[in-house]
Amino acid sequence: IANATIHATRCTCGADVLQLLTTSRRIQGDWDTPNLQLFLREFRWFDTTAELRAFYSPERGLHALTSYNEFVYQAFLVENKADIEASVRALVEAVHPPQPAVLDIAFVPRDAQKDVFSQA
């Protein structure tokens, strides 16, 4: 059930993306955000229980990290907290947004042998 939404909202072409962006109630308020920056990339399957939301400001750096879906608890997130936090900090330092940002991050393991998320 935790991954059902990703199947329902997955886009396969630009027209699908535009339709979702212009009709989604969830994003409508974001269009009024000054300096809105939207990054789109080709879809790649990921386990939504490994999706995180990071809060960043230039003054404080990474100051909060949470599971994106508050309704799904995964013990592996707690068990691997230090490694996950270090990975997110490295990503944020590499990206270094010039202004406060909310970053949605999905961990997609490169190597199945090193997949800490296979426990889900």
Side-chain angles (χ1 to χ4, degrees):
I1 292 179
N3 288 305
T5 311
I6 197 169
H7 288 291
T9 59
R10 188 183 104 183
C11 297
T12 57
C13 68
D16 291 346
V17 172
L18 289 174
Q19 168 138 12
L20 276 178
L21 287 174
T22 57
T23 60
S24 169
R25 282 186 175 165
R26 183 175 179 183
I27 198 169
Q28 293 307 307
D30 293 337
W31 294 123
D32 297 328
T33 303
N35 303 317
L36 174 68
Q37 295 183 11
L38 182 65
F39 296 90
L40 302 174
R41 65 179 302 271
E42 181 180 350
F43 176 82
R44 182 168 173 197
W45 169 258
F46 63 93
D47 181 351
T48 59
T49 62
E51 188 175 14
L52 305 173
R53 178 163 273 184
F55 297 85
Y56 168 86
S57 71
E59 301 79 28
R60 296 173 62 192
L62 176 68
H63 56 90
L65 182 62
T66 184
S67 174
Y68 184 83
N69 186 343
E70 70 272 19
F71 299 111
V72 177
Y73 172 80
Q74 287 296 338
F76 69 87
L77 291 175
V78 176
E79 293 163 4
N80 297 287
K81 179 182 174 182
D83 290 337
I84 292 168
E85 182 180 345
S87 294
V88 172
R89 285 192 183 281
L91 172 68
V92 170
E93 287 176 18
V95 173
H96 195 69
Q99 59 194 22
V102 177
L103 307 164
D104 292 337
I105 300 165
F107 280 91
V108 180
R110 285 185 227 159
D111 182 341
Q113 300 296 75
K114 297 178 185 175
D115 180 5
V116 297
F117 301 113
S118 62
Q119 301 167 22

XYZ file of all heavy atoms in Angstrom, residues 9 16-17 23 40 57 61-62 71 90 97 101-102 107:
101
model
N 0.654 7.905 -9.918
C 1.053 9.239 -10.386
C 2.270 9.218 -11.303
O 2.745 10.276 -11.704
C 1.341 10.175 -9.198
O 2.382 9.604 -8.406
C 0.095 10.387 -8.367
N 1.803 14.224 -19.710
C 1.291 13.725 -18.429
C 1.797 14.586 -17.276
O 1.054 14.902 -16.344
C 1.731 12.280 -18.190
C 1.058 11.286 -19.124
O 0.066 11.654 -19.775
O 1.540 10.134 -19.194
N 3.060 14.976 -17.339
C 3.651 15.807 -16.289
C 2.924 17.144 -16.213
O 2.532 17.594 -15.138
C 5.159 16.032 -16.539
C 5.728 17.054 -15.563
C 5.920 14.720 -16.447
N -3.212 20.412 -12.692
C -4.490 20.011 -12.108
C -4.383 19.556 -10.657
O -5.402 19.423 -9.987
C -5.145 18.880 -12.931
O -4.273 17.747 -12.940
C -5.444 19.347 -14.337
N 12.527 18.544 -12.626
C 11.894 17.307 -13.081
C 12.955 16.418 -13.688
O 13.879 16.894 -14.338
C 10.822 17.605 -14.126
C 9.703 18.554 -13.688
C 8.798 18.864 -14.858
C 8.910 17.950 -12.548
N 18.539 25.682 5.148
C 18.667 27.135 5.007
C 20.158 27.457 4.965
O 20.954 26.759 5.598
C 17.986 27.884 6.155
O 18.706 27.725 7.353
N 22.168 25.465 7.483
C 22.482 24.227 6.785
C 21.294 23.278 6.847
O 20.141 23.708 6.942
N 21.573 21.987 6.827
C 20.511 20.984 6.964
C 20.055 21.012 8.416
O 20.835 20.747 9.315
C 21.038 19.594 6.600
C 20.071 18.439 6.774
C 18.929 18.545 5.765
C 20.784 17.117 6.620
N 2.860 8.281 7.637
C 1.973 7.171 7.966
C 2.658 5.811 7.858
O 2.075 4.797 8.191
C 0.741 7.185 7.060
C -0.065 8.447 7.217
C -0.127 9.369 6.197
C -0.728 8.731 8.396
C -0.847 10.540 6.338
C -1.456 9.888 8.555
C -1.518 10.809 7.532
N 25.847 15.130 2.792
C 26.782 15.211 1.665
C 26.070 15.719 0.410
O 26.613 16.552 -0.323
C 27.414 13.845 1.409
N 22.029 24.768 -1.924
C 21.032 25.741 -2.390
C 21.341 27.149 -1.870
O 21.738 27.299 -0.715
C 19.725 25.219 -1.785
C 19.981 23.789 -1.460
C 21.438 23.700 -1.127
N 15.366 25.883 1.366
C 14.794 24.895 0.450
C 14.232 23.708 1.216
O 14.710 23.367 2.291
C 15.862 24.414 -0.527
N 13.216 23.106 0.620
C 12.691 21.825 1.070
C 13.037 20.839 -0.031
O 12.666 21.036 -1.188
C 11.167 21.882 1.291
C 10.640 20.519 1.694
C 10.815 22.931 2.335
N 16.011 7.533 -1.815
C 17.199 6.697 -1.913
C 16.926 5.567 -2.898
O 15.991 4.798 -2.730
C 17.566 6.109 -0.548
C 18.303 7.082 0.321
C 17.614 7.907 1.186
C 19.685 7.179 0.244
C 18.296 8.813 1.973
C 20.372 8.084 1.030
C 19.675 8.905 1.899
